[in-house]
Amino acid sequence: MRADALRAMVLRVLGDIAPEADLASLRPDVAFREQLDLDSMDILNFVVGLHGALGVEIPEADYPKLATLDACVEYLASRR
């Protein structure tokens, strides 16, 4: 899967978790938690959503690697 397709998938999953968020203005290098005010349950739901959408196993130790849009896309690309 190409990076642009992964980015679109990540944004779709984020939109499911935070439907009120303005994802068009999301900065790709700033943590989701800072921009979207996500809590730990939101992060868990985000990871579950990524797993469901992409079939990628994401160990809990790797959750910090999903902190930003750019980092998330890079991580997922390396796991596919």
Side-chain angles (χ1 to χ4, degrees), residues 5-7 11 14 16-17 19 21 24 26 31 35 37 41 50-51 53-54 61 63 67 71-72 74-75 78-80:
L6 282 172
R7 183 176 302 270
L11 290 173
L14 274 175
D16 292 344
I17 303 304
L26 190 69
Q35 297 184 81
D37 196 31
M41 283 305 297
L50 290 174
H51 172 72
L54 300 168
Y63 290 6
C72 193
E74 183 179 323
Y75 175 83
S78 73
R79 302 282 297 187
R80 295 203 33 95

Side-chain angles (χ1 to χ4, degrees), residues 21-33:
D22 179 13
L23 299 178
S25 66
L26 190 69
R27 292 186 47 205
D29 59 338
V30 177
F32 294 134
R33 282 184 183 239

